[in-house]
């Protein structure tokens, strides 16, 4: 009945994803947060389990009773593969291990997979949603069965079982009959009750009189008599559990509902008034210590828990006012932060740009953002900050964006956290960040450690811990009793903390946060409300040694095991800290280079000197490492170190970092794989060297001619700060001419796709402008000539004609040793013919690069900012056949080039998984390809298959013909396939779930264009009265009243969707070939067992429709059409038995018409209409047909299509009447059609009809109250998503979750009876 009731909300579960950053993907799990309490990771849909386990863990009597069971009772568990654990009581053993980890494992959260494995669960059970009250009973039964024959066999009974006595008092003979019943939890009905105490009073104090038809049979009187029935509690458990019955079934509506009404429950509960007088008063006094909360509706939700820390194991603190001496925030520009730690988009973008070498195009930046964080800009930041281009231009102090959308990090930015470009000041931007959370530990005043704990802790190499230290560290405590250094102390709280033992925490899967008892009052009502209550007997006292001591009661072997894990975690975190802070710097020395033109060129073959150093060290340490290599050389009086980058012209120097020897490396803008140049800071080889971005070298390809000689070509490397006049003087010296006689022209590509060249003369009036100001870039073709003779074609146009036959590319060299990092590969401009084959291009590239040999011969790829790195290219095709365009980046890398008979494919298991590249022969079968990738990707199991992807990498059709070759499946190089788990459907077959659809009677009847005249002459006039008498889309007032107390964003949209005008009955499943016809499908449906006895004359009386979201949709109209050509998009269909034979053309549209009642904004019952679109698709033709069908004048009706998913009505613009009474046709600028957007009318749609009268109000308003409510919920959901993004930094909340069928909870418990007999013997 409650299938899908407790469906997990994605936003609250742990989302696991592969991050593009290798450092992030290998990060160890984070330590505990400031509460020093450990959460539980969600395995998919285990929030209900996590909430109950945390409650049991913080029940000290249950935890310590479980810890008291030793190996004699439970057996010796071994984690070795193949070990025999059949004699081990796995469930209590795994509970012990889990509780020990929750107590002392220094990790933010731990998993429950070992415990669920002891339940006999696999991944499918962990993905099913269940009721926590049901789990509570089943789990306790499993624990009791697992502990039979041990000292703990009465554990559950002693803590949680109570007894009640039901009495019936005969009014005639005063005979009293009693029946004693045992209970584990008390189910409390909520309807009509204000709180827990009133509900208990009605059950255990109020009496019921049995009289009339309810008389009681008295054994003493031997007849039916009047009697009084009552119930009292006889024995109360130590832990009293209440289950609140919030989920009900509405038999009138035929649907589930959640009672969100207000229901109070006290923090302290006196049960004496509900018990026998024989019970002691102190035994009836209870205190609330756990509240399990359900948030959501009947169809989706999430479980959390509010738990009181009885033993003061956690650190409770309110939000603090201010920080006296905060530590400096990390600088993303300096690489101090991990990608995951970046809380603002400016920090994240700077980290990525640093990784990309300081500059990147917007498209490449977006791709790197998604690779490093797993979330795109649009998903994470767009709704809050706008597009990435807008954000970059709104932060001019941080980023520079040129006209070509190239993004560069400003050179003077060292600490971007001080720049308020993220919507506030720097302080506001850092408020609440993880870096400012105080690292404190639990104060354990008046706490002692047992001798066993101290000895065990000393044996493993640690020291006796008096506070909340992990891994053997002693945490110092100051005078105020708080742990940590004085520099991290905060100002005092505005409110004092709760008293010891009464501090509440919220457990939300992996997240643990402090809360207050006052916050519990918010759980009385609403979508987020209390679902289970746990009360603990107040007379239960805790020993002084247990207060604030997580080691109390833990068995010795478990203590050793967890402390060992803590030691490993500390080591991994230390290694990770070193890894993310270690810089790999490539050092180049001045004697290895020569200044040629405006760039440095390497003249030696010495290997690059690599220094690995911690980014947190000062520059003096780096200088000492460098001087160890140059001790025998003289750099002169000065020692300078500059950042170097390899450009098209050669190596160029940028910022000087050797100014302050005490400066920390992270503040100097250094990132991993940065190249540094060591020199004297003045000249190289006696030639002065200009540094900085303003003096970057440009490589210009000049064509010039001398007197009476043919034209010549040369590459000129000049600084972009050089003026045009300076360039003119330089060329005049080469050509033996005067500068004023020289004409310099730029030959540039023009056109939409740069398909032809044009000549632009650079006049002498621009001689004072620099080359950068003139817009020249690397690889530009230039022409220099004296004044041309009349009637002779000038040199620039000759160059342009040659340019039209050439194509310019950018070659990225990934074979040279200088390109030691992914963002430091040297690039070179190059020109080649469009008709040249790629093998010749590869030889030319190797010659230009001066490379004699490459591993495996080398190969070429294309790189694109939008599509990324392409597959290796076939070398026997021309550049034009390969799709090479102007300005394309060509990658030269080691590796074999694919043969013509081979194909390069990419494989993944999902969106966020790693992608594998593999070369296959095109004759390889699909089955062989799948098996090969199973082995390569180390996939377990035998049932795997392949699925194609579309152009945007979304799953597409299955490769169901396993014997077909890759060539037969028409796969091409670069395609991506998804490796999916599961049984492959039979070859060429389709499996369809089938339902019988029965339209509601009393609605409209089916009409088509041919029968319209007959219907209009047979008395169908009272259609308006029929619609007004039977409102269809009104929402009942009671649900509206109920939902008004619930926040909009937590309400369910489904309750406001228009009802389906019919009922669906599941009939079974049909499986048939894709080449079968629709007629074959109908005949197979008629053979289903559910159709036996149903009188259907022939298949023509059966209509088959696709079932989409539980609603009938597209009709399979042509009986002779195959299922393959019908293009089924759904795996479910429904069939309708018609009272007549139906023959529909492929152009027919079957839709429902409802007429609006303007008085209460409701709609009448639907009437099915068939419209043949071949007779007219324009809106005025369609609206005229519908108006004639209803017998109404066209100018008096307005109509719109209902888009129920978004609660919108799309106006169908047809013939209407303007203010002057003249008829006009509403036009939208282009020829409108009902089959195109925005109308897009198709089978199953609903069209609303509005009769235009003087009282109709807004003629374009078709909305119902349900639509208004639904749109308000959607708007609230969008606003809530924005808030989540601001608070969490990423939007991983999914607004729609697929419902799963109901599956009961099963926990497998082996038979331990033989172990019990052995123990007794």
């Amino acid at each position: 009945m409650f299938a899908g009731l407790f469906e997990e909300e994605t936003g609250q579960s742990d989302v696991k994803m592969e991050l593009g950053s290798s450092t992030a993907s290998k990060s160890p799990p984070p330590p505990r947060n400031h509460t020093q309490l450990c959460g539980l990771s969600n395995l998919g849909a285990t929030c209900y389990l996590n909430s109950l386990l945390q409650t049991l863990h913080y029940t000290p009597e249950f935890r310590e009773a479980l810890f008291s069971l030793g190996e004699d009772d439970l057996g010796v568990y071994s984690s070795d593969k193949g070990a025999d654990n059949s004699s081990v009581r796995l469930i209590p053993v795994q509970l012990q291990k889990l509780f020990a980890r929750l107590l002392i494992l220094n990790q933010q959260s731990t998993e429950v997979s070992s415990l669920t494995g002891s339940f006999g669960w696999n991944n499918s059970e962990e993905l099913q949603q269940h009721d926590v009250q049901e789990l509570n009973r089943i789990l306790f039964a499993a624990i009791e069965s697992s502990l039979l024959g041990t000292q703990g066999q009465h554990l559950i009974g002693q803590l949680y079982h109570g007894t009640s006595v039901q009495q019936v008092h005969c009014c005639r003979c005063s005979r009293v009959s009693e029946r004693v019943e045992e209970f584990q939890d008390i189910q409390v009905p909520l309807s009509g009750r204000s709180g827990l105490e009133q509900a208990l009073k009605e059950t255990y104090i109020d009496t019921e009189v049995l009289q009339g038809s309810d008389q009681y049979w008295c054994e003493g009187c031997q007849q039916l008599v009047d009697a009084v029935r009552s119930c009292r509690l006889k024995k109360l458990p130590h832990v009293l559990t209440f289950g609140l019955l919030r989920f009900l079934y509405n038999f009138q509506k035929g649907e589930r509902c959640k009672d969100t009404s207000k229901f109070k429950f006290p923090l302290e509960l006196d049960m004496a008034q509900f018990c026998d007088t024989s019970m002691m008063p102190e035994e009836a006094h209870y205190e609330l210590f756990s509240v399990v909360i359900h948030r959501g509706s009947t169809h989706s939700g999430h479980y959390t828990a509010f738990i009181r820390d009885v033993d003061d194991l956690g650190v409770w603190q309110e939000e603090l006012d201010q920080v006296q001496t905060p530590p400096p925030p990390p600088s993303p520009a300096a690489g101090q932060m991990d990608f995951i730690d970046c809380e603002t988009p400016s920090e994240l973008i700077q980290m990525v740009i640093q990784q990309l070498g300081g500059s990147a195009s917007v498209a490449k930046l977006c791709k790197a953002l998604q690779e490093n964080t797993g979330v795109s800009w649009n998903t994470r930041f767009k709704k809050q900050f706008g597009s990435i281009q807008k954000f970059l231009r709104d932060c001019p102090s941080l980023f520079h964006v040129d006209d070509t959308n190239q993004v560069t990090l400003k050179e003077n930015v060292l600490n971007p956290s001080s720049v308020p470009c993220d919507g506030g000041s720097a302080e506001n931007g850092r408020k609440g960040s993880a870096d400012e959370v105080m690292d404190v530990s639990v104060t354990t005043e008046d706490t002692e450690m047992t001798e066993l704990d101290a000895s065990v802790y000393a044996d493993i190499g640690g020291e006796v811990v008096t506070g909340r230290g992990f891994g053997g560290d002693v945490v110092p405590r100051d005078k105020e009793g708080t742990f940590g250094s004085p520099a991290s102390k905060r100002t005092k709280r505005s409110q004092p903390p709760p008293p010891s033992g009464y501090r509440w925490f919220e457990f939300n899967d992996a997240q643990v946060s402090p809360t207050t008892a006052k916050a519990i009052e918010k759980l009385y009502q609403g979508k987020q409300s209390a679902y289970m209550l746990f009360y603990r007997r107040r007379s239960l006292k805790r020993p002084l040694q247990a207060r604030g001591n997580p080691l109390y009661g833990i068995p010795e072997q478990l203590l050793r095991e967890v402390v060992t894990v803590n030691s490993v975690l500390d080591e991994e975190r230390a290694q990770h800290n070193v890894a993310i802070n270690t810089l790999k710097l490539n050092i180049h020395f001045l004697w290895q280079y020569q200044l040629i033109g405006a760039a440095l060129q390497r003249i030696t073959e010495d290997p690059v000197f690599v220094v690995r150093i911690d980014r947190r060290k000062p520059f003096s340490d780096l200088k000492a490492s460098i001087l160890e290599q140059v001790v025998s050389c003289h750099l002169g009086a000065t020692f300078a170190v500059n950042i170097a980058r390899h450009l098209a012209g050669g190596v160029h120097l940028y910022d000087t970092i050797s100014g302050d020897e005490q400066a920390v490396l992270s503040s100097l803008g250094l990132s991993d794989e940065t190249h540094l140049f060591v020199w004297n800071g003045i000249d190289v080889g006696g030639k002065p060297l200009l540094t900085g971005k303003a003096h970057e070298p440009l490589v210009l390809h000049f064509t010039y001619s001398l007197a009476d000689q043919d034209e010549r070509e040369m590459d000129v490397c000049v600084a972009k700060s050089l003026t045009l006049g300076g360039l003119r003087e330089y060329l005049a010296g080469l050509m033996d001419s005067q500068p004023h006689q020289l004409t310099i022209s730029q030959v540039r590509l023009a056109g939409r796709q740069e398909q032809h060249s044009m000549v632009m003369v650079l006049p002498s009036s621009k001689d004072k402008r620099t080359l950068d100001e003139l817009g020249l870039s690397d690889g530009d073709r230039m022409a220099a000539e004296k004044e041309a003779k009349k009637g002779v074609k000038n040199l620039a146009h000759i160059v342009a004609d040659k340019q039209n036959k050439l194509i310019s590319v950018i070659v990225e060299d990934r074979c040279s040793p200088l390109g030691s990092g992914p963002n430091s590969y040297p690039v070179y401009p190059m020109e080649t013919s469009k008709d040249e084959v790629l093998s010749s291009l590869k030889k030319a590239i190797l010659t230009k690069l001066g490379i004699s040999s490459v591993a495996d011969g080398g190969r070429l790829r294309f790189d694109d900012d939008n599509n990324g790195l392409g597959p290796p290219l076939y070398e026997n095709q021309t550049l034009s056949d390969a799709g090479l365009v102007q300005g394309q980046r060509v990658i030269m890398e080691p590796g074999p080039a694919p043969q013509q008979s081979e194909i390069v494919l990419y494989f993944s298991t999902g969106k966020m998984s790693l992608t594998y590249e593999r070369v296959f022969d095109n004759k390889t079968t699909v089955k062989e390809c799948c098996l090969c990738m199973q082995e390569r990707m180390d996939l377990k199991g035998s049932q795997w298959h392949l699925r194609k992807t579309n152009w945007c990498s979304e799953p597409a059709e299955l490769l169901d013909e396993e014997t077909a070759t890759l060539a037969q499946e028409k796969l091409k190089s670069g395609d991506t396939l998804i490796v999916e788990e599961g049984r492959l459907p039979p070859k060429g077959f389709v499996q369809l779930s089938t339902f019988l659809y029965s339209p509601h009677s009393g609605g409209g009847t089916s009409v088509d264009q041919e029968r319209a005249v007959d219907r209009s002459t047979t008395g169908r006039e009272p259609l308006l009265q029929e619609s007004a008498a039977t409102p269809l889309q009104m929402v009942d007032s009671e649900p509206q009243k109920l939902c008004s107390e619930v926040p909009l964003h937590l309400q369910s949209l489904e309750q406001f969707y228009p009802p389906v005008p019919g009922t669906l009955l599941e009939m079974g499943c049909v499986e048939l070939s894709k080449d079968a016809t629709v007629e074959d499908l109908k005949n197979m449906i008629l053979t289903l067992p559910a159709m036996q006895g149903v009188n259907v004359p022939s298949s023509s009386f059966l209509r088959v429709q696709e079932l989409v979201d539980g609603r009938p949709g597209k009709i399979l109209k042509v009986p002779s059409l195959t299922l393959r050509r019908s293009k089924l998009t759904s795996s479910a269909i429904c069939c309708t038995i018609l009272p007549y034979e139906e023959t529909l053309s492929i152009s027919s549209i079957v839709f429902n018409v409802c007429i609006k009642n303007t008085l209460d904004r409701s709609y009448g019952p639907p009437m099915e209409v068939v419209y043949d679109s071949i007779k007219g698709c324009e809106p005025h033709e369609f609206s005229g047909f519908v108006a004639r069908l209803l017998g109404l004048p066209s100018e008096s009706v307005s109509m719109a299509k209902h888009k129920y998913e978004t609660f919108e009505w799309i106006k169908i613009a047809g013939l209407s009447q303007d203010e002057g009474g003249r008829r006009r046709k509403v036009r939208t600028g282009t020829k409108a059609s009902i089959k195109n957007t925005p109308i897009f009318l198709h089978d199953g749609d609903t069209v609303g009809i509005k009769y235009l009268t003087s009282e109709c109000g807004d003629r374009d308003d078709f909305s119902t109250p349900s639509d208004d409510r639904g749109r308000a919920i959607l708007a609230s959901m969008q606003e809530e998503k924005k808030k989540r993004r601001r608070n969490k930094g990423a939007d991983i909340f999914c607004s729609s979750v697929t419902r799963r069928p109901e599956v009961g909870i099963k926990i497998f418990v082996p038979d331990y009876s033989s172990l019990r007999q052995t123990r007794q013997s």
Side-chain angles (χ1 to χ4, degrees), residues 834-974:
K834 298 178 180 179
D835 298 328
E836 188 175 7
V837 295
L838 288 172
S839 58
S840 301
L841 176 62
K842 185 177 75 172
K843 293 179 181 179
I845 291 175
L846 293 176
T847 302
K848 183 178 180 64
L849 300 180
I851 300 175
S852 58
S853 62
V854 182
D856 297 323
R859 60 190 181 188
L860 300 176
R861 296 178 187 260
F862 291 163
D863 189 14
D864 184 79
D865 285 343
N866 294 322
N867 300 322
L869 195 64
L873 301 172
Y874 301 105
E875 293 189 352
N876 60 345
Q877 57 182 343
T878 63
L879 272 67
S880 57
D881 293 338
L884 193 68
V885 297
Q886 288 284 356
Q888 183 83 55
R889 182 181 289 257
V890 179
I891 308 298
M892 181 69 211
E893 65 178 11
Q899 302 300 316
Q900 194 63 30
S901 61
E902 294 177 333
I903 182 174
V904 182
L905 297 176
Y906 296 92
F907 297 86
S908 70
T909 56
K911 279 189 175 181
M912 295 306 300
S913 64
L914 298 176
T915 301
Y916 297 83
E917 179 184 282
R918 190 65 185 266
V919 180
F920 288 98
D921 191 280
N922 56 17
K923 295 182 180 179
T924 305
T925 64
V926 174
K927 181 67 174 179
E928 293 170 345
C929 181
C930 184
L931 292 175
C932 179
M933 293 313 300
Q934 280 184 242
E935 182 179 356
R936 174 69 178 84
M937 302 168 74
D938 194 23
L939 301 176
K940 307 301 181 182
S942 58
Q943 293 186 348
W944 292 87
H945 58 271
L946 300 178
R947 182 184 291 273
K948 291 183 180 180
T949 57
N950 58 15
W951 63 274
C952 56
S953 301
E954 294 175 343
E957 64 267 19
L958 283 171
L959 295 177
D960 54 359
E961 297 187 14
E962 293 187 313
T963 58
T965 63
L966 302 179
Q968 291 172 343
E969 291 291 346
K970 299 181 180 180
L971 293 172
K972 59 182 183 298
S973 188

Side-chain angles (χ1 to χ4, degrees), residues 161-167 178-185 204 230-236:
H161 287 185
T163 57
S164 63
V165 55
Q166 188 177 89
Q167 297 180 343
E178 293 186 352
R179 184 178 63 188
V180 178
E181 296 178 345
E182 190 176 73
F183 65 87
Q184 182 175 290
D185 53 20
Y204 297 110
S230 62
C231 184
R232 301 286 284 179
L233 294 173
K234 187 175 183 180
K235 175 188 174 185
L236 292 176

